[in-house]
Amino acid sequence: MNKVKRVIKVLGMVNCTPEFEKHPFIINGASELFAQVWGEENGVGVRSAVGFGSLPDNIPVEIEALFELHVG
């Protein structure tokens, strides 16, 4: 965790029904956590949130994130 310089991009995949339209509200939780850990300036990157009819093992949410790391 100490090697993370900043969050670059977060992709949130939400397991949901076709009628559900609030995917970004679900992914906000991950962004808020990252902002608490690394601060507002470094913890919030570009975000995408999409809905899927199923995810592996029927998990509710999958997060993919790209981070810039401190080198050295």
Side-chain angles (χ1 to χ4, degrees), residues 7-8 13 15 17 19 22 24-25 27-30 32 34 38-39 41 44-45 47-48 51 54 58-59 61-62 69:
V7 177
I8 296 173
M13 295 159 273
N15 189 354
T17 63
E19 300 80 28
K22 300 197 183 242
F25 291 93
I27 305 312
N28 280 349
E32 290 169 5
F34 292 163
W38 294 294
E41 191 169 307
V44 179
R47 300 181 316 153
S48 299
S54 68
N58 204 32
I59 59 174
V61 175
E62 184 171 336
L69 302 179

Side-chain angles (χ1 to χ4, degrees), residues 14-26:
V14 180
N15 189 354
C16 60
T17 63
E19 300 80 28
F20 186 74
E21 299 176 345
K22 300 197 183 242
H23 313 100
F25 291 93
I26 305 298

